[in-house]
Amino acid sequence: MKVLLGVSGSIAAYRAADLARELMRAGHEVRVCLTDGAAQFVTPLLFETLTGQPVLSGAFEEPIAGRMAHIDWARWADVIVVAPATANTLVRLGLGFAEDMLTTVVLASSAPLVVAPAMNPSMYAADVVAFARERLAARATIVLEPQEGDVVAGEHGPGKLAPIAEIVAAVQSLDVRRNRLAGKHVLITSGPTVESIDDVRFLSNRSSGKMGAALARAALLMGARVTVVAGPQSAVLPLAATVIPVHTALEMLAAAQGATQPDVIIGAAAVADYRPLTRQEGKIRRDVGNISLQLTPNPDVIASLAATFPGAQTVAFAAEPGPDVATARAKMARKGVFAVAVNDISRSDIGFGADDNALQLLFASGGQAESGVRTKLACGIWLLEQLTP
Ligand code: CTP
C-alpha cells in the first residue's frame, strides 16, 4: 500500500524513523509529512534518506511545480498514519483544521486514517482531546491508544506511543480490509423515495440517507465498485461511487434492476410502501372540500432485486420499533433475502438521522451477529465483513 506517514512534534517523533523503516519492510511505499513541531525534533533529510521520497512540511510546498502537493498526496495515499500524534495535531485532525500540510492532506483525503497519540497523560485526558477522538472515529479512524508508562516531566500514565509493531499491524489489517471486496460490485439503495400527489405535494419519509452513504464509503474502503440508487437524500454520497438519482419507488426498482450484476445488494432505502393511485395534474386546490387520497402498494424493491439477482448476497434493513427478532425473521423469509439487518428505531441514539447505529444481523441460514453501537460507517464495514468472512 501507499502509506503517508504524518509525524507531529512529540519527543516520540524519533520513533517515526523506525516506523517508516518497518512499514517499508512490510512491503509498503512510504512518504513522510512533518508538522513544524516535528521538524524541531527530526529533520526532513532523515526521512528523505530513509524513504527515498520527498518530505513535505509547509502548507504551500510544491515538490512538482504547478501541482498542488496536498491534493496530489491526498489522492496518492491508500492510508494515512499519524504517529506520533500530539494533542495539538489530534485536535486539529478531529475538528478538520487545515493550516499546515499534514492537516490539509488529511482533510483532502478519503483514505483511512490510523492515529497513534503520544502526549502528556493530562493532555490526553482533556475533554477536547476526547471530543476530537470521537470525531475521528466517525471517519473510520483507528486510534491506537497510548501505552501507560513513564513520560517526560516525571509523570506516569497513558501517553507513550503505541508499539511500532502494533502500528504496522493496524496498517496490515487495513490492507486486508481494502482487498476484501476487490473486484466485487456492491449495489445499494439509499435515502427516502418521494411519491407525488400533485405537481406540488408528495408523500415521503424522514430517511436522511446517512446509512446508505456510510455503506457506500465502507464498500469503497474495502475495494468494491459501488453503485448507489438514491432517493433525494441529505447525506452526501462519496464521489467514487456511481450514483443514480431517483425519486419514486418504481424509478428506484427500474434503476437498480438495470445495474450490472451485483455481488452484494443492500437495501438501505426507506422505500414508500404506498404511492397515490393517481397523480393529479397541476395543484389540488383548497376549495374542493374533503378529499381522500387513494393509495396503491409499491413493489418491494429489495425483494424484487433478490429475485432478479439470485447470485447476489441481498441484505434488507428492517426498521423495528423494539428488539423484535421474530418479525424480522418473517420479513426476511417474505422478501427471500440472504440476511436482514435489524435496527431498533425506538432508540433515539441510533437509527433515523443519528450518526450511530447498532445492527443485529440475521441470516436466512439461521445464524446471527450483533454489531453493538458504532458509527454508521463502522456499522457498514462490520456488516460487509459479516458477509465476506
Ligand atoms: N423495502 C423495499 N421496498 C419497499 C419497502 C421496503 O425495498 N417497498 C426494503 C427497505 O429498503 C428495507 C426493507 O425493505 O431494506 C425493510 O423495510 P421495512 O420498512 O422495515 O419493512 P417493510 O417491508 O416495509 O414491512 P413493514 O412496513 O410491514 O415493517
Side-chain angles (χ1 to χ4, degrees):
M1 278 203 295
K2 299 187 185 101
V3 183
L4 172 57
L5 173 60
V7 183
S8 60
S10 148
I11 177 83
Y14 76 96
R15 296 185 55 204
D18 270 348
L19 176 58
R21 208 183 44 200
E22 290 305 318
L23 286 168
M24 289 164 71
R25 262 204 199 129
H28 304 295
E29 210 179 314
V30 178
R31 288 187 189 177
V32 175
C33 186
L34 300 179
T35 64
D36 287 347
Q40 302 287 321
F41 289 94
V42 286
T43 65
L45 184 62
L46 170 68
F47 290 101
E48 263 164 25
T49 315
L50 210 55
T51 62
Q53 300 274 356
V55 168
L56 286 187
S57 185
F60 297 101
E61 267 176 56
E62 268 186 7
I64 305 173
R67 289 184 56 164
M68 287 186 293
H70 65 284
I71 300 296
D72 245 12
W73 283 42
R75 287 191 182 141
W76 173 86
D78 294 320
V79 53
I80 301 179
V81 180
V82 182
T86 58
N88 180 30
T89 295
L90 193 74
V91 169
R92 288 185 304 133
L93 291 175
L95 302 187
F97 280 65
E99 90 277 58
D100 65 4
M101 184 54 91
L102 178 59
T103 49
T104 310
V105 172
V106 172
L107 199 62
S109 173
S110 55
L113 249 187
V114 176
V115 174
M119 65 190 75
N120 177 282
S122 311
M123 291 171 93
Y124 196 61
D127 281 354
V128 68
V129 172
F131 177 72
R133 283 174 47 213
E134 271 170 33
R135 294 292 300 265
L136 284 170
R139 67 171 306 249
T141 300
I142 299 177
V143 180
L144 297 168
E145 295 301 319
Q147 303 273 100
E148 182 146 349
D150 293 330
V151 295
V152 285
E155 283 186 45
H156 184 93
K160 295 175 79 69
L161 184 69
I164 301 297
E166 201 179 297
I167 304 172
V168 176
V171 173
Q172 301 293 70
S173 78
L174 286 174
D175 203 8
V176 173
R177 181 194 282 172
R178 194 172 73 105
N179 292 318
R180 199 122 173 196
L181 295 179
K184 305 271 189 209
H185 179 206
V186 176
L187 173 64
I188 298 166
T189 67
S190 179
T193 63
V194 295
E195 313 287 341
S196 292
I197 298 169
D198 61 14
D199 288 355
V200 184
R201 290 85 169 203
F202 55 77
L203 296 176
S204 191
N205 58 68
R206 295 184 205 282
S207 171
S208 61
K210 278 186 181 172
M211 193 62 229
L215 278 159
R217 281 194 59 206
L220 288 166
L221 284 173
M222 293 166 78
R225 182 162 73 80
V226 178
T227 304
V228 189
V229 181
Q233 62 175 64
S234 54
V236 177
L237 288 158
L239 278 177
T242 302
V243 178
I244 307 175
V246 294
H247 285 91
T248 66
L250 290 173
E251 286 171 12
M252 182 170 274
L253 178 60
Q257 279 179 326
T260 53
Q261 176 70 44
D263 299 284
V264 174
I265 306 171
I266 304 182
V271 184
D273 285 327
Y274 290 87
R275 67 179 183 277
L277 185 59
T278 51
R279 175 190 170 147
Q280 190 108 356
E281 292 270 312
K283 187 182 169 200
I284 301 172
R285 297 289 171 184
R286 59 179 297 154
D287 56 6
V288 291
N290 289 347
I291 55 168
S292 51
L293 198 57
Q294 214 182 342
L295 302 177
T296 188
N298 265 327
D300 188 318
V301 174
I302 201 72
S304 309
L305 292 176
T308 307
F309 300 112
Q313 291 181 324
T314 301
V315 183
F317 268 76
E320 297 298 339
D324 182 0
V325 174
T327 311
R329 281 220 172 266
K331 201 176 271 187
M332 173 160 56
R334 195 173 72 228
K335 291 174 188 280
V337 292
F338 176 77
V340 65
V342 187
N343 58 335
D344 181 349
I345 51 168
S346 64
R347 291 175 54 173
S348 61
D349 56 334
I350 56 176
F352 278 137
D355 290 325
D356 287 344
N357 208 346
L359 301 177
Q360 189 175 19
L361 195 60
L362 309 176
F363 292 94
S365 58
Q368 69 179 73
E370 276 181 41
S371 69
V373 177
R374 304 166 182 235
T375 63
K376 287 188 169 170
L377 180 59
C379 277
I381 291 171
W382 175 86
L383 191 156
L384 290 164
E385 279 176 350
Q386 305 307 305
L387 300 181
T388 50

